[in-house]
Amino acid sequence: MKSRINKIYSLLCTFVLLMAATGCNDDNRSDLQLDGDTWITSFSVDGYEGEIDNSSQTITVPLPETYDTDAMTITSLAMSEGAEANVAQGDVLNLSVAQMITVTNGDVYFEYTVNVKHDEAKILTFRLNNSYIGVIDQTARTITVRVPSNVDVTSLTPTITTSDGATVTPASGQAVDFTEPVDFTVVYNTASTTYTVTVIVSDACEAAYVGLASSFDELNAEEQAAATWMLNNIPNSQYISFAEIAAGSVDLSECQIIWWHLHIDNGIDSMDKFNNAAPDAVSAASEMKELYENGTNFLLTRYATYYAVYLGATNDDCVPNNCWGQVEETGEITTGAWSFYIDGHEDHAIYQNLVMNSGETNAVYTCDTGYRITNSTAQWHIGTDWGNYADYDTWRTNHGGTDLGYGGDGAIVVWEYPTDGTNGGIVCIGSGCYDWYSYDVDTSSDQYHGNVATMTENAINYLTE
């Protein structure tokens, strides 16, 4: 039990050694008292009962939304038999900051951190018809949602997440008429907050996730995981199909960033295979190139990196020369953490605020042991043996890209085509480590997988700012 036990252990070892050196008999025994429990069994301040968690050594006191915590009186404190604490019933605590309570029993001690938690009633995320993300202003208590003109605003279904335990009216999942602004009220115990939701009908979005599927729901699992993240995290973002772009039925004149993440089971390794797999993207190429030439930025990931040729961003019209992939349901299970290298580019904007492995400033980790991954890769082999690029300088000059990340063999796995004149910027991520969906694996405790989302958000911000 923390440092005192360590000290006690050292004293015991010293005592045993002394006895061994001088001789001892069965009458010698230690006076240390190590068998007492040190639990707090109940605790309250100002009559509000604390929630005790012995595993995390915390006590959390739920309070009304605006309760003053500067001077709270301990109204009850019960502990294990024989235990004592550094505070007592009747003591006054300033719980506007965390306070520590130490419980001792003989020569054993245990520490609890006491915090308060005010009642909270907030809307955390707001989406309409699972496609249109709301921009939430927590200060003004407003939510703004853009929808295209072909959407019926008289019957839109919100999907709402709130702070823990809160309820919202109108309820999440209940169709609502948004012809005029609608008030949504969130309640939790003593807390109550009302948000005014306004739907703006506009065919001009600011950020788009594009795909081959006619709708978001028809995307494959890998692409849908990526698109879901974008719709939930990038304001004024929409899912748009290439067919809609080719038909001219969507307005992208105000779009600052277009992201395409293309997954194909078993991968693709040639432009012919790309064209056969993505005919709608090829059909929309002239419209997309015009957007690029007028300043729209692009994030192209996995096999979507081939599309840079159609945008006119490359000098030699070549696509990644070393590509492969597996099938989602039978992808390999990692036996260790996976990463790629960023030597010389550690300060680049897309690599900031990532969870790094201790001591490895040049490696970006994206998943840990036990992740099922397709290892879908679209990279550039560099070398005199094959691939047409003898070294990095040759690739930069002949192809026109700027390398930003590397595989273990030195292949280029992350690169960009910087803005030039009126052209937008393009960031490409073709590393097999960049993976959004792990079939039949719970990734919630994966310490590195959040880096995929962070890096994506960094890339979007880098391109648009």
Side-chain angles (χ1 to χ4, degrees):
M1 291 188 181
K2 299 196 172 180
S3 59
R4 181 172 296 188
I5 292 298
N6 292 332
K7 292 178 181 178
I8 292 170
Y9 180 78
S10 298
L11 290 171
L12 284 171
C13 291
T14 303
F15 180 78
V16 170
L17 290 172
L18 287 172
M19 291 301 100
T22 61
C24 61
N25 58 48
D26 292 339
D27 292 332
N28 291 317
R29 63 179 62 184
S30 171
D31 291 330
L32 295 174
Q33 301 175 31
L34 305 176
D35 56 354
D37 288 333
T38 54
W39 308 123
I40 291 179
T41 57
S42 69
F43 176 85
S44 66
V45 286
D46 289 2
Y48 294 98
E49 191 71 25
E51 299 170 355
I52 301 169
D53 187 336
N54 290 321
S55 61
S56 63
Q57 299 175 228
T58 59
I59 301 175
T60 304
V61 183
L63 294 174
E65 184 178 23
T66 59
Y67 198 87
D68 187 355
T69 59
D70 288 347
M72 301 190 71
T73 302
I74 298 176
T75 46
S76 70
L77 174 61
M79 295 168 287
S80 303
E81 183 178 355
E84 298 179 350
N86 64 330
V87 295
Q89 184 171 324
D91 285 355
V92 176
L93 302 178
N94 177 10
L95 289 176
S96 62
V97 294
Q99 296 292 336
M100 190 77 70
I101 295 179
T102 301
V103 181
T104 59
N105 199 340
D107 293 288
V108 180
Y109 80 100
F110 199 74
E111 292 178 334
Y112 290 87
T113 301
V114 182
N115 290 289
V116 298
K117 181 181 180 182
H118 290 281
D119 291 343
E120 185 176 63
K122 287 184 177 180
I123 291 178
L124 303 180
T125 65
F126 189 96
R127 287 172 60 186
L128 292 176
N129 289 7
N130 284 327
S131 298
Y132 311 108
I133 186 171
V135 180
I136 302 174
D137 186 330
Q138 295 289 5
T139 302
R141 299 292 191 255
T142 61
I143 301 175
T144 304
V145 190
R146 285 174 176 252
V147 300
S149 59
N150 61 353
V151 170
D152 180 11
V153 297
T154 66
S155 182
L156 293 172
T157 303
T159 301
I160 308 167
T161 61
T162 65
S163 47
D164 289 344
T167 58
V168 60
T169 305
S172 180
Q174 173 185 327
V176 177
D177 182 351
F178 285 95
T179 305
E180 299 294 335
V182 178
D183 286 344
F184 283 73
T185 300
V186 191
V187 176
Y188 179 69
N189 291 340
T190 64
S192 178
T193 307
T194 297
Y195 294 80
T196 299
V197 179
T198 302
V199 170
I200 299 173
V201 178
S202 172
D203 289 323
C205 66
E206 295 180 7
Y209 184 100
V210 297
L212 301 172
S214 59
S215 68
F216 169 88
D217 293 330
E218 296 175 22
L219 293 169
N220 62 51
E222 170 71 23
E223 295 174 7
Q224 192 169 102
T228 297
W229 175 87
M230 186 178 195
L231 295 178
N232 280 327
N233 292 277
I234 304 301
N236 294 327
S237 59
Q238 296 180 15
Y239 175 75
I240 297 173
S241 70
F242 278 107
E244 291 175 300
I245 296 171
S249 59
V250 292
D251 181 1
L252 294 173
S253 60
E254 296 181 20
C255 190
Q256 300 177 36
I257 179 73
I258 294 175
W259 177 23
W260 185 20
H261 180 64
L262 174 61
H263 171 76
I264 303 292
D265 273 348
N266 287 318
I268 56 174
D269 58 6
S270 70
M271 183 58 97
D272 286 342
K273 290 183 179 179
F274 174 84
N275 292 340
N276 290 332
D280 284 353
V282 177
S283 297
S286 60
E287 290 82 3
M288 298 290 267
K289 183 177 181 181
E290 183 178 357
L291 288 167
Y292 169 64
E293 291 175 343
N294 287 320
T296 301
N297 304 288
F298 284 79
L299 174 61
L300 304 175
T301 54
R302 196 162 284 185
Y303 304 116
T305 55
Y306 281 52
Y307 208 55
V309 170
Y310 281 105
L311 297 178
T314 66
N315 292 339
D316 56 10
D317 291 338
C318 288
V319 298
N321 60 13
N322 192 15
C323 308
W324 64 85
Q326 301 172 27
V327 175
E328 201 73 69
E329 290 79 2
T330 58
E332 65 183 292
I333 299 294
T334 60
T335 57
W338 279 35
S339 66
F340 63 89
Y341 299 97
I342 57 174
D343 301 74
H345 307 287
E346 292 88 346
D347 293 332
H348 195 283
I350 68 173
Y351 300 134
Q352 303 310 301
N353 303 313
L354 302 178
V355 176
M356 309 296 284
N357 192 33
S358 179
E360 293 188 68
T361 58
N362 69 329
V364 171
Y365 284 82
T366 59
C367 64
D368 212 338
T369 303
Y371 186 95
R372 187 188 298 278
I373 196 166
T374 62
N375 192 17
S376 297
T377 301
Q379 64 181 20
W380 298 91
H381 174 76
I382 304 297
T384 56
D385 48 351
W386 63 274
N388 298 324
Y389 303 107
D391 50 39
Y392 294 123
D393 282 338
T394 301
W395 179 83
R396 293 164 190 152
T397 300
N398 293 354
H399 181 67
T402 300
D403 43 303
L404 300 176
Y406 313 92
D409 62 353
I412 298 172
V413 299
V414 182
W415 64 99
E416 68 174 320
Y417 305 95
T419 57
D420 179 21
T422 61
N423 291 347
I426 302 174
V427 168
C428 294
I429 304 176
S431 170
C433 299
Y434 183 85
D435 194 279
W436 280 91
Y437 172 76
S438 184
Y439 177 78
D440 202 30
V441 172
D442 180 5
T443 62
S444 59
S445 60
D446 190 313
Q447 63 175 325
Y448 297 121
H449 194 238
N451 283 341
V452 175
T454 301
M455 186 164 50
T456 303
E457 185 169 16
N458 287 345
I460 291 172
N461 290 337
Y462 168 69
L463 288 166
T464 56
E465 294 175 359

